[in-house]
Amino acid sequence: MDFVEEFTDEERLKIEQDFSRLADKCYLDHAGTALYGESQLRAVQELLAGGLYCNPHTSRTMEDLIDLVRYRVLRWFQTRPADYSLVFTSGTTASLKLVAESFEFGQGDDEPGSFVYLRDSHTSVLGMRELVRTGRVQPIERAELLQALNEPEDPRRHHNHRPSLLVFPAQCNFNGAKYPLELCELIERNGLRGYGGDAFHVCLDAASHVSTSPLDLSRYRPSFVCLSFYKIFGYPTGLGALLVRRDAEPLLRGKRYYGGGTVKIALSGPDRFHEPRDALADRLEDGTINFLSIAALLPCLEALARLIPGATMDRIQRHTFQLARHCYRELQALQHANGGRVVDLYHDTAFGDARTQGAIVNFNVLNDDGGHVGFAEVACMAANHGIYLRTGCFCNPGACQRHLRLADHDLLRHYRAGHVCGDANDLIDGQPTGSVRVSFGYCTRRSDVDRLVAMVRRCYVRRSLTGPLSRADVLAQYKSYDRPRLVQLCLYPVKSCGPLRVTAGGWPLAPTGLLYDRAFLIVDEHGAAMTQKKLPTMCRIRPDIANGRLVLRHADLEDEPLTIELEGGGEAGEPAAAHLCQTKVCRDSVQGVDCGERAADWVSRALGVSGLRLLRQSGQEPRRQRQTDRALSLNNQAQLLLVNRTSVRWLRDKVGDGEWDGAAAPSLDALVDRFRGNLIVETVRPLEESDWRRVLVGPSQFTVDGPCTRCQMICIDQATGERTAEPLRTISREFGGRMRFGVYLSLAGDWADQELPLGATVSGVIEESE
């Protein structure tokens, strides 16, 4: 079936206007968060600016408004206050936690009921195991859960007194597979096989489902429903709900903690007497709830219904399902020249019906030999193409294990190898530790899906039968003609700006590497560090150092260089600023000294962004490398980066003539600049630096900290700031999906009074691993 446009031309135009900030961006992480529309935010601002909203413990008017929001939210899910109570929480996780700590599995000496959870559940469900007050805790597999659709009624179900809890998602956040909501009634009526003495109540994790699908609680009536509002509207964040069926309210009596506003009376004496309030929401909403965000839900509900009139969520479901199916089929059709699959899809349906499949596609990319491309490498390539997607295991270890065929001992082995949730350690012994997820919302366009597929086709489909070269194949193409030598030294006084090339003599070493390398950085008005990933034109700021001063120049401010005293840190002619600022570099908290107003004005004008500041790294809180405890400046991971000019020459030869996005291939020097190395060496053969464990440059010794994993910054022309797909794409292809080029170095031995001389002989020491 062909793609059928769900929205009218007028509706599509309104959506595009509401999301004008997506004009050149491709956002494919709607399962992570929906995006808020401009009209939605304007409506929220008008509401908040047009009224006086007091603490609900003070204002009856505010209490009434919150009750109105409860009613409107229940109506959104096709139910009413007579059937369900609504408890506001900080999100789905808090709702699940509230159920876990409140659910009564039994009383007195009776054997408690069971806590059963679908193994393919979010981490927040797994965390419930630590709170539930029963020792009868058991996971259930997907196939076992689905068997309940055909189970006959268990007569013992009507003669027991063991309340039990089953938790499963309405939609899997890993791959979008939907679970039949008929299971709620069937399991609460018939029980589960193997649990004949348990009266089950269903807790439905609806967070992923409600983002793009309707939830009709007049038809499907689980005991508990947990959800987050940002998944639907994008804003407000930090607000969710627990919906409790009225007849299940007595089961939530186990919560011990109580906060302000939840009791009728509380004595401060040692007997700890207190009496909870009667209404469920009054008992469970501890303290002052997030009343302004709750009020903001009204314009959010109205704005979405106005933007997509009619059966809003049904229409969003049809639109996003079609996008997901189109993406699934296009990726499935990709083939290498040898007939091998390009994409390994992780799915539980064939994308045939919106009732069984949500708006998520999960996959990994494959090389033509069947090996996996790491998800972190795909994320880098996607970012270079302006595509926002998600990688990893998506806080769903059960689904990740099942689809990637990882046993518990595999996960433990990966953990012992250094892999933790959320890192970029994407392949261990060739085995993927996670995957790539794309997900769609009502503002997603078909062209966004086509853009993703085109990126995968262009960057990963091999059109010839020649496989990636091994290092031995590469080395065999070159013959020895000279000893390796240091041909260039570069330092980058301002992080992510242009290089200072040492043209004669050498350059002194410091405890952090090259003296003054990455000593300064530019931050935005909020204090966040700016890099070329955010602002590629930073490369056009050109530094020089002479007579104890740093001089910054920009082509658009040619007659206005900025001069900074390196000893004091302030601009020449004015006292050094003493204002300290905090920012972050590669997850490290860094303290910087502000260089003053004139410096701030200069970098703001040079880069065309208001509110920028220039900071110098403070010596009061030294930054240390985690593994080695060596001192670091504001560089990313190590003190120095070595790049081999011979390897860059080999790489340039591997890039096809027409692969530079219609432009002429860069010169060798220009391509070397893209790798932003400190020590540029020229060796006998390409890639031999990858085998080095120690490096000698003249009298100076360095240890190799490992390869440099490349990101989209090497795709930025360092002369113009323009982006290309190369050379990142070719690195990925030639090295089987691993985007590593260059090696990190750290100082070894005594560096004091040492200077790295240009032209010095370079010796790489290879040590056999034990």
Side-chain angles (χ1 to χ4, degrees), residues 553-561 602:
R553 293 183 173 84
H554 190 279
D556 295 340
L557 301 172
E558 195 62 43
D559 299 329
E560 299 180 60
W602 190 92

Side-chain angles (χ1 to χ4, degrees), residues 299-316:
C300 292
L301 289 160
E302 294 164 356
L304 185 55
R306 188 166 51 248
L307 199 62
I308 304 174
T312 300
M313 294 308 300
D314 293 276
R315 299 186 66 197
I316 290 175

Side-chain angles (χ1 to χ4, degrees), residues 123-430:
T123 306
S124 299
V125 173
L126 305 187
M128 296 174 74
R129 299 176 299 185
E130 308 304 314
L131 289 178
V132 293
R133 286 191 292 278
T134 177
R136 303 176 67 212
V137 176
Q138 187 69 31
I140 187 172
E141 301 290 345
R142 170 183 166 84
E144 187 180 358
L145 176 65
L146 295 177
Q147 285 177 3
L149 291 170
N150 304 312
E151 285 294 315
E153 183 173 353
D154 186 347
R156 291 173 296 176
R157 167 65 177 82
H158 303 289
H159 303 286
N160 69 77
H161 302 281
R162 291 203 308 241
S164 296
L165 186 64
L166 169 67
V167 186
F168 69 89
Q171 174 178 295
C172 178
N173 75 308
F174 182 86
N175 65 2
K178 292 181 178 179
Y179 288 85
L181 297 182
E182 295 88 348
L183 287 169
C184 299
E185 180 182 354
L186 288 172
I187 291 172
E188 293 202 0
R189 185 180 69 217
N190 301 335
L192 280 174
R193 178 186 289 270
Y195 298 88
D198 292 330
F200 274 98
H201 296 266
V202 171
C203 177
L204 189 69
D205 177 0
S208 181
H209 179 91
V210 298
S211 62
T212 55
S213 300
L215 178 62
D216 186 349
L217 293 180
S218 67
R219 182 178 180 187
Y220 307 108
R221 305 182 70 250
S223 294
F224 313 105
V225 181
C226 304
L227 57 90
S228 295
F229 292 107
Y230 76 95
K231 297 283 188 179
I232 309 171
F233 307 111
Y235 177 90
T237 58
L239 183 65
L242 169 62
L243 279 62
V244 182
R245 203 177 64 219
R246 285 290 185 178
D247 65 312
E249 287 187 13
L251 294 166
L252 300 185
R253 291 283 183 179
K255 181 172 173 286
R256 296 182 179 181
Y257 177 83
Y258 59 91
T262 62
V263 294
K264 299 176 182 178
I265 182 175
L267 300 184
S268 60
D271 60 2
R272 300 183 297 180
F273 176 80
H274 66 281
E275 185 68 32
R277 290 190 180 274
D278 296 324
L280 185 71
D282 292 341
R283 291 203 311 269
L284 298 183
E285 291 174 352
D286 292 316
T288 300
I289 55 179
N290 193 351
F291 59 93
L292 291 182
S293 291
I294 292 170
L297 283 177
L298 282 177
C300 292
L301 289 160
E302 294 164 356
L304 185 55
R306 188 166 51 248
L307 199 62
I308 304 174
T312 300
M313 294 308 300
D314 293 276
R315 299 186 66 197
I316 290 175
Q317 177 177 251
R318 288 195 294 269
H319 172 71
T320 56
F321 170 72
Q322 288 192 88
L323 292 171
R325 180 173 57 190
H326 176 57
C327 181
Y328 168 80
R329 291 176 175 176
E330 290 294 307
L331 291 176
Q332 189 181 47
L334 296 177
Q335 287 188 334
H336 291 294
N338 62 5
R341 291 177 299 146
V342 176
V343 168
D344 194 1
L345 288 153
Y346 305 122
H347 55 92
D348 292 306
T349 79
F351 285 74
D353 193 332
R355 291 171 296 181
T356 60
Q357 178 62 50
I360 297 174
V361 179
N362 196 304
F363 63 94
N364 268 321
V365 176
L366 301 172
N367 293 308
D368 59 346
D369 63 358
H372 287 87
V373 176
F375 62 75
E377 320 300 348
V378 178
C380 283
M381 193 63 74
N384 190 49
H385 285 74
I387 300 172
Y388 297 74
L389 45 74
R390 182 84 174 267
T391 59
C393 270
F394 324 107
C395 297
N396 193 328
C400 190
Q401 281 185 258
R402 180 165 64 88
H403 286 283
L404 272 59
R405 297 176 290 279
L406 298 171
D408 286 350
H409 64 80
D410 292 317
L411 264 63
L412 290 172
R413 179 170 55 86
H414 294 170
Y415 176 69
R416 295 183 184 113
H419 171 57
V420 297
C421 293
D423 69 13
N425 198 349
D426 50 15
L427 291 174
I428 297 178
D429 298 330

Side-chain angles (χ1 to χ4, degrees), residues 474-514:
V474 174
L475 297 180
Q477 299 178 18
Y478 290 78
K479 295 182 179 180
S480 176
Y481 62 90
D482 196 3
R483 296 192 65 185
R485 58 195 178 92
L486 180 66
V487 296
Q488 192 175 79
L489 280 169
C490 293
L491 58 147
Y492 304 83
V494 183
K495 182 177 178 64
S496 234
C497 291
L500 188 164
R501 296 183 179 86
V502 179
T503 57
W507 194 262
L509 292 170
T512 56
L514 294 179

Side-chain angles (χ1 to χ4, degrees), residues 523-585:
V523 300
D524 65 14
E525 59 185 342
H526 305 295
M530 300 293 291
T531 71
Q532 287 188 31
K533 293 179 185 179
K534 300 178 184 177
L535 198 60
T537 54
M538 290 178 69
C539 64
R540 298 182 63 200
I541 292 180
R542 299 291 170 173
D544 194 12
I545 291 177
N547 302 318
R549 292 179 173 180
L550 168 67
V551 180
L552 300 180
R553 293 183 173 84
H554 190 279
D556 295 340
L557 301 172
E558 195 62 43
D559 299 329
E560 299 180 60
L562 176 68
T563 302
I564 302 291
E565 296 284 355
L566 289 173
E567 293 303 317
E571 186 176 358
E574 72 171 29
H579 181 59
L580 296 177
C581 303
Q582 287 292 130
T583 186
K584 291 188 74 174
V585 174

